[in-house]
Each structure stands twice: as structure tokens, then as C-alpha cells.
Amino acid sequence: MNTTPTLQVENLVKTYGGVQAVRGVSFDVMPQTIVGLIGPNGAGKTTTFNMIAGAETPTEGRVWFDGTEITGKPTDQLYDRGIVRTFQLSHEYGKMTALENLMVAGANQPGENIFMNWIAPGAVRRRERDVHERAEDTLAFLGLTHVTNELAGNLSGGQKKLLELGRTMMTDAKLVLLDEPGAGVNPTLMLKVIDMIRRLNEERGYTFCIIEHDMDLIADLCDTVVVLAEGQVLTRGPMSDVRTDERVIDAYFGGDVV
Ligand SMILES: Nc1ncnc2c1ncn2[C@@H]1O[C@H](COP(=O)(O)OP(=O)(O)OP(=O)(O)O)[C@@H](O)[C@H]1O
Ligand SMILES: [Mg+2]
């Protein structure tokens, strides 16, 4: 059994001027598991993702991916290594269609390589056809076929969220960081999203770390849950333990944390 964590976060700290957004967060994500990152608004979840995915440089602390240190590496390098993330507020290419947004995400398209085009034009065409087909299949799966040629900027909030998820399906990711994949998605589609995450995990071996306020999604999918509050890890464990933990209930509903 592979015992090297896919993701290792050690003592991450992020301060913005006087604000301590993250105050020494450590956790591991083992290969092919699904870990939930939960906690009240402002707990530091998105900031933690930003530091893992190269969008923010940690003030302190280190990050490893598959045993290699990646602290402070830029997002595009991490993407090439197989780390993909989605955003709490969707980041689509507004001036491109839904289909084009997915095709762009089909990683390592040899069509972009001029030498491949010259040496093996047939292979390039086949690959492009594959990416096109996969993008169409992905749109169908997400119930977005009717907006295939719509500019992504014109989609609704929920549709943009689904498109973001679709982009992760188009890549050959190893580690997928999802920031509130369920936000704004209707309950029926939510079940499909849960199913999709599970299938990507079981069939393609993706490892997931998921930030989510929907506790049903977390309980349904996650092997382990890490609870953040006020920039620190409050506790971690299976959801069945975490959801009855007094400190967690208190962090969500008690005091002035919420
Ligand atoms: N760029 C920034 N500049 C200043 N403060 C920031 C910045 N980004 C985040 N913060 C602060 O850091 C804290 C943690 O924010 P973060 O977005 O990580 O929370 P979160 O756990 O993702 O919350 P939510 O569940 O509401 O999305 C908040 O107090 C926030 O105001
Ligand atoms: Mg957030």
C-alpha cells in the first residue's frame, strides 16, 4: 500500500496585514481518498486552498504533493503535475462558449504543439476529436447540452459551478481541490455531482479535498473531515464523530464565530 500522502500540509500560516487568516494548519490527504475541509465562514478554508494551489504564497509553512515539496510553486506548474482546483466564485472564460471552456481544459492537447502537427497531423486530429467528444459527453452528463454554444459569461451561477466541475473532468488530474462544489447547484443535480465525484475517485483514482458547507455532501463522500475554525484545525476524523463533537457544534453555532 502506498503510504506517501498525496497532499501534505504542514503548519501553514497566512497573514494579511493584521489579519491572521490561517494560523498553523496541518493535515494530510492519503492517495485516492476524499477529505472534507469544513468550518464556519471566515475559518480560513479558501485561503488554505489558495496556498496549496499556488494562488497565494504562505507566510509560513510547507506543502508537499506526492512526497515532493511544492510550497509556493505557481498554479500552472502544479496543474501540469496534476493538481486542479475549482473556485468558490467560478472562474470561467466568459468570452468562450461552454464547450470551448471544457476543450481548453482537456490537458496536454498535442494540437497546441506545432511539431506534433507537422509530424503526426492524424494523431492531432484524432486527439482533437477525442477532446471535442469528451467535452460534449461532459456537458451532457452535467445537463448542460442546451448551453453548449452559449458564452460561459452568460450562464447562471449554478451552471458556471457545474462547468467548473466539468473542467476537472476534462483533465487527467491526480488531486482535485473543490471549493464549495455544491453552492448554488439544485438538489437533483447535487446528487449527480456527488455521484460524479465518487466515480472520478473510484474509477479514475482521483484524490479529492473538498470545501463544502453542505454537510450531507460531506457525510456522503468524505473518508475524513478536517474542521477549521478561526484559522486553526479544531479537530479531524470521520464525519460521524465530527458532527457530534461539542467543539464543532460550538464553532458553528455558538459564540461569535459564525
Ligand atoms: N486577500 C485578503 N486580504 C485580507 N483578508 C483576507 C484575504 N483573504 C481572506 N482574508 C480573511 O481571511 C479570513 C479567512 O478567509 P477565507 O476566505 O479563507 O475563509 P473561508 O473559510 O473560505 O470562508 P467561507 O466559508 O465564507 O468561504 C477571513 O477573515 C477573511 O476576511
Ligand atoms: Mg471560502
Side-chain angles (χ1 to χ4, degrees):
M1 196 188 136
N2 185 358
T3 50
T4 306
T6 297
L7 175 70
Q8 238 177 317
V9 167
E10 190 187 274
N11 193 33
L12 278 183
V13 174
K14 185 71 190 180
T15 53
Y16 298 102
V19 180
Q20 287 190 305
V22 174
R23 301 189 292 155
V25 164
S26 304
F27 64 92
D28 290 350
V29 178
M30 295 309 287
Q32 293 181 34
T33 59
I34 305 180
V35 168
L37 192 57
I38 69 170
N41 293 122
K45 304 180 296 296
T46 297
T47 308
T48 299
F49 262 21
N50 286 343
M51 289 190 278
I52 297 167
E56 298 268 11
T57 311
T59 307
E60 275 177 50
R62 300 165 81 183
V63 184
W64 283 269
F65 173 61
D66 256 346
T68 305
E69 188 172 357
I70 56 161
T71 317
K73 293 254 184 285
T75 306
D76 53 342
Q77 264 187 42
L78 298 178
Y79 185 85
D80 289 343
R81 290 183 196 213
I83 304 178
V84 180
R85 63 93 55 100
T86 67
F87 292 88
Q88 186 166 359
L89 300 172
S90 312
H91 274 207
E92 70 290 337
Y93 298 109
K95 295 266 179 334
M96 291 166 83
T97 66
L99 183 77
E100 287 163 351
N101 265 269
L102 293 187
M103 289 187 66
V104 165
N108 306 322
Q109 292 184 57
E112 287 169 359
N113 182 327
I114 191 158
F115 292 105
M116 269 304 286
N117 233 328
W118 182 52
I119 297 165
V124 171
R125 274 200 300 278
R126 264 196 308 281
R127 171 74 191 177
E128 276 176 2
R129 216 168 41 232
D130 285 352
V131 171
H132 190 270
E133 254 172 45
R134 201 158 151 189
E136 283 185 333
D137 289 349
T138 304
L139 287 170
F141 178 82
L142 296 169
L144 293 175
T145 301
H146 61 296
V147 295
T148 299
N149 297 311
E150 188 61 65
L151 293 182
N154 295 341
L155 301 182
S156 75
Q159 289 171 329
K160 286 177 182 172
K161 240 20 229 194
L162 292 172
L163 195 64
E164 285 247 346
L165 273 169
R167 298 215 320 247
T168 68
M169 293 172 74
M170 291 295 298
T171 64
D172 292 315
K174 291 194 191 114
L175 173 65
V176 183
L177 308 168
L178 301 177
D179 198 342
E180 301 194 24
V185 172
N186 81 56
T188 313
L189 270 175
M190 185 77 149
L191 294 177
K192 281 185 99 171
V193 166
I194 290 173
D195 186 50
M196 185 194 87
I197 293 168
R198 186 174 289 119
R199 274 174 51 194
L200 288 172
N201 172 250
E202 286 175 1
E203 294 168 21
R204 291 212 223 153
Y206 285 22
T207 303
F208 283 93
C209 187
I210 308 178
I211 297 176
E212 184 53 61
H213 289 293
D214 184 308
M215 291 305 141
D216 292 335
L217 181 145
I218 293 286
D220 215 351
L221 283 175
C222 296
D223 306 293
T224 308
V225 180
V226 177
V227 186
L228 291 193
E230 298 183 320
Q232 290 181 308
V233 177
L234 192 63
T235 185
R236 77 195 75 201
M239 188 59 184
S240 48
D241 293 354
V242 160
R243 84 184 321 160
T244 54
D245 189 316
E246 284 295 326
R247 290 167 303 167
V248 176
I249 295 165
D250 206 42
Y252 270 98
F253 304 113
D256 53 7
V257 180
V258 180

